Amino acid sequence: MIPKEPAKIKDNKYRFDSFTNGKAFPGNKKGRLPAMGWNSWNAFGSGNTETLTKAMADAIVELGLDKIGYKYLVLDDGCYKSEREDGKLANEPVKFPGGFKSLSDYIHERGLKFGMYNDIGTNLCAGAAVGTCGFEKTDARSYLDWGVDFLKIDNCYYLWDNATFSNPENARYVFAPNIKGISIFSGDFVKRLTACEGELFGSGASIVDDYATGIGTFDGTNTGTSPVGPMSGELVFELSVPEDGEYNLSVNYATGRENGVGEWLQIATDFGENTQYFYDDLLPATESKVSFTESLPVKINLKKGKNTIRLMNHRRQENTLCSYAAMLEGLLQVREDNDVLLSLCEWGKTQPQNWGYKVGNSWRILNDITFRVGSDGNAGFGEWTDPGTPSVTSQYNKAVIMDEFSGLDKGWNDPDMLMVGMNGLNIKMCQTHFTMWCMLNAPLMLGLDLRRVKKGDEIYKIIANFNVIALNQDALGIQAKRIFTSYKSSDGKKISPDKDYITDCNRIDVLAKPLSDGCLALSFINLSQEKKNEEISVNLELIKKFLGNKVPENFYCAETFCVKNLWTDEECIVSGGCFSINEIEACGNVTVKISPNTL
C-alpha cells in the first residue's frame, strides 16, 4: 500500500500556483482559535503511558485549567505497536493496555478532547513502522472510531523529501536538474535558448558558469531562512512562435541527488490560473551533476506570438501538501461531519505558511523547540537563546514576522510546544515565553508534568493568567505585529521590524495586537539576558503606520488611555498617545492592555 512514487497531481488545487488563492480544502474548518492543551512529548518522550496520560487529564481538571481553555490532551510518539496489525494501527500493549478507545472515553468523560500523533512518512520519528503513508483512509477510520479530536502529524521518514530520517538522496524529488538550455522545434521552426538567455524568477536558483542550478524550494527546517518573500526559484523563458500548435521541447540537463540538484522537472506555460503543465516527473539520471545530456522531446502547446515557458520544481511543497491532504480527505470520506483538528508538524521544511491553511489548523515553523525530552522535559541551560532551533528565541525570531500568514480564515503559525516549567528556564523566561506565544497566536500546548504544578504557585500563575491567555484567544484572531525593534544593523541598513528576520537577541522588541473590544495589547520584550535601562517608546502614529484600520479609528482619536499591566494588574492613565518603558528585566516583558477613554 505504500506508494512507489509521489502522487500524480491531476487537480491544480494542489499546485504551487494555487497557494495564493485563499481556498481551503473541503473538510478543513476555519474560524477556530489556536488550540490549547497538553502534549506528552516534552515531559515523557516515548515513555508516556496510559497511567501518565490519565494523571495529566486529572491534573488539568483539578487545576481548573480546562475552565481556562486547555482542552486537548495529545498522545505524542511512542504509543503504538512498532508494526501494524492486519494493516491497522494498534496500541502498545504494555504502556497502553486499555487501548485507545478506553483512554479516549476517560478523557472525554472529564470534558476534555483527545489527541493523537502520526507521520506522513513510513515510520514515526521514534522509529515505529506505522506512518500514515498509503494508509490514510484506514487510519482515518481508526482515529474516528477511537474518538480522536486532534491529530498532530509529523514528517520523519518522508519518502519524497530528505526529511530527518529519510534517505538524503530523496532530494532527487524536490530539486530540478541543472539546466544548460532548451530547444523548441516543430517542422521548420527551431529555437535554442541557453540558460543565460532565460530569467530566474523567485529566489534560490542561480546561474553557475553557463547553467542554472538550485531550482527548487528552500528548506525551512533550520534557522536563517526568512519566511517572508519568495521561497523557490524557476528558470523562465520568453519565446515567440509563428503559429498556434504543438511544439517539441527538449532540455539540456544533468541530474544529482543532493541539496540543490535533483532529477524531477516540471515544465509549464503561463502563470496562475492559466498555467498548463506538460511534464512533471523524473528525468533519466545522468552520470554526474555536470554530465549534460539532451532529454527526449516533450510535447507542449504554444500560441502564436509571445509565450512564457517555465522550468521548475515546486514538488517539495506540492508533495507535502498532497500527503497531508490525503489524511484530511481520508477523514472526510469516513465521516463528513468529523471535527478533527489537524496540526501539521513538518518543521517549516516546505514553507507551510504558504500552503498550510489549505489542510491544517496550524503548522510548525521550525524544528523542535527542545531535543531534551523524556526527563520531564529538561530544557537545558542555553535553550533561551540557542542559535539553532531548540530555543525560545529562535522560534520567536521567525514567528514574529509571520503575522500576515495567520488568521481565523487561515490558521496559526506554530513555534512548537511551550517549555514553561521546564528546568533551564527561570520564571522570568517562562513568563516572557508564555507572553510571546499568546501575542503570536501560537497554539498553547503545555509540555511539563502537570503533577508538579500547584494552584497558586509560580508556574500556575503563568499558565493560568487569564488576561494574557485572552490575547491568544481573542475573537479577532489577529497575530501581533512587531512595530519596533531596538536592533541596529551593523551595515547601517534600515530595518523593517515587521519583515526583517533578526537573530541577534541583544535587543528589545515591541509587539502590537488589535483586540475585538477595540483595545490594543502592547508587549515590550527584552530578548537579551541582561537588564536594559533605556527608554523605549511607541506612539499612535507608529501604531497606525503598522496596524492601520485593524485598530478602530476611535482608538487613534482618543486623548487619554487606561493602561493595564497584564502581569502585575497595575493600572494608570496615559495622555497624549505615547506608551513607554524606562527599564526592562533580562528576558523580561512588559505587556499591557490599552483601552481608549472615549466619550
Side-chain angles (χ1 to χ4, degrees), residues 72-89:
Y72 292 101
L73 196 149
V74 182
L75 300 185
D76 212 287
D77 207 346
C79 60
Y80 302 105
K81 273 191 173 181
S82 60
E83 295 183 351
R84 292 174 176 269
E85 285 189 349
D86 299 324
K88 296 181 179 180
L89 300 168

Side-chain angles (χ1 to χ4, degrees), residues 52-83:
L52 286 171
T53 303
K54 288 180 176 180
M56 295 303 104
D58 292 343
I60 288 173
V61 175
E62 290 166 5
L63 292 167
L65 296 176
D66 55 327
K67 301 295 191 297
I68 302 172
Y70 294 97
K71 292 291 187 180
Y72 292 101
L73 196 149
V74 182
L75 300 185
D76 212 287
D77 207 346
C79 60
Y80 302 105
K81 273 191 173 181
S82 60
E83 295 183 351

Side-chain angles (χ1 to χ4, degrees), residues 38 42-44 52 55-56 59 376-377 421 447-453:
W38 178 88
N42 282 358
F44 305 130
L52 286 171
M56 295 303 104
D376 194 16
L448 76 164
D449 184 342
L450 293 170
R451 294 173 299 181
R452 293 198 293 105
V453 182

Side-chain angles (χ1 to χ4, degrees), residues 338-590:
N338 82 84
D339 200 36
V340 176
L341 185 156
L342 285 185
S343 170
L344 314 184
C345 181
E346 56 77 86
W347 334 307
K349 187 176 188 70
T350 67
Q351 314 297 341
Q353 68 271 16
N354 298 153
W355 56 263
Y357 74 93
K358 290 183 173 292
V359 289
N361 186 251
S362 63
W363 42 86
R364 284 276 300 280
I365 65 164
L366 279 176
N367 214 325
D368 293 3
I369 195 170
T370 179
F371 298 130
R372 294 180 173 91
V373 298
S375 56
D376 194 16
N378 185 351
F381 294 93
E383 291 196 18
W384 171 260
T385 53
D386 189 297
T389 63
S391 72
V392 171
T393 55
S394 63
Q395 301 281 341
Y396 165 85
N397 285 337
K398 188 172 183 181
V400 75
I401 54 172
M402 297 178 69
D403 55 288
E404 295 303 325
F405 298 109
S406 77
L408 289 168
D409 60 336
K410 301 180 183 75
W412 312 108
N413 301 306
D414 182 2
D416 205 5
M417 293 168 283
L418 290 159
M419 292 200 291
V420 173
M422 294 170 64
N423 297 327
L425 297 180
N426 63 36
I427 288 298
K428 186 58 67 175
M429 291 174 177
C430 288
Q431 186 192 82
T432 300
H433 170 25
F434 192 75
T435 301
M436 290 170 167
W437 267 230
C438 287
M439 291 290 284
L440 297 174
N441 276 40
L444 300 180
M445 303 301 291
L446 302 171
L448 76 164
D449 184 342
L450 293 170
R451 294 173 299 181
R452 293 198 293 105
V453 182
K454 304 298 180 187
K455 256 193 176 181
D457 70 12
E458 290 180 312
I459 296 301
Y460 178 85
K461 288 177 181 177
I462 293 173
I463 64 176
N465 185 321
F466 179 80
N467 289 328
V468 177
I469 292 171
L471 306 180
N472 179 272
Q473 297 290 299
D474 183 76
L476 273 187
I478 297 179
Q479 177 178 323
K481 184 181 285 288
R482 183 168 62 190
I483 64 172
F484 172 85
T485 180
S486 65
Y487 171 76
K488 299 291 188 294
S489 174
S490 59
D491 60 5
K493 176 188 172 185
K494 184 178 179 181
I495 298 297
S496 298
D498 61 331
K499 301 295 184 187
D500 284 345
Y501 187 17
I502 304 168
T503 57
D504 184 341
C505 291
N506 184 26
R507 69 179 201 271
I508 297 170
D509 286 350
V510 182
L511 277 55
K513 188 179 197 304
L515 303 174
S516 57
D517 59 3
C519 299
L520 182 79
L522 208 61
S523 189
F524 298 79
I525 297 174
N526 181 7
L527 281 82
S528 108
Q529 297 187 58
E530 296 180 357
K531 183 177 180 179
K532 297 291 187 182
N533 295 297
E534 57 185 280
E535 182 178 5
I536 303 291
S537 298
V538 297
N539 57 28
L540 292 177
E541 182 181 359
L542 186 68
I543 293 168
K544 190 168 187 176
K545 174 184 175 181
F546 285 99
L547 297 184
N549 61 10
K550 291 179 181 179
V551 176
E553 190 61 32
N554 71 317
F555 184 93
Y556 299 122
C557 296
E559 295 183 359
T560 62
F561 299 84
C562 178
V563 179
K564 179 180 179 179
N565 187 308
L566 298 184
W567 286 108
T568 68
D569 288 331
E570 296 173 324
E571 294 187 11
C572 66
I573 300 297
V574 170
S575 301
C578 185
F579 312 99
S580 62
I581 60 168
N582 296 311
E583 62 179 18
I584 187 167
E585 296 294 328
C587 309
N589 77 97
V590 176

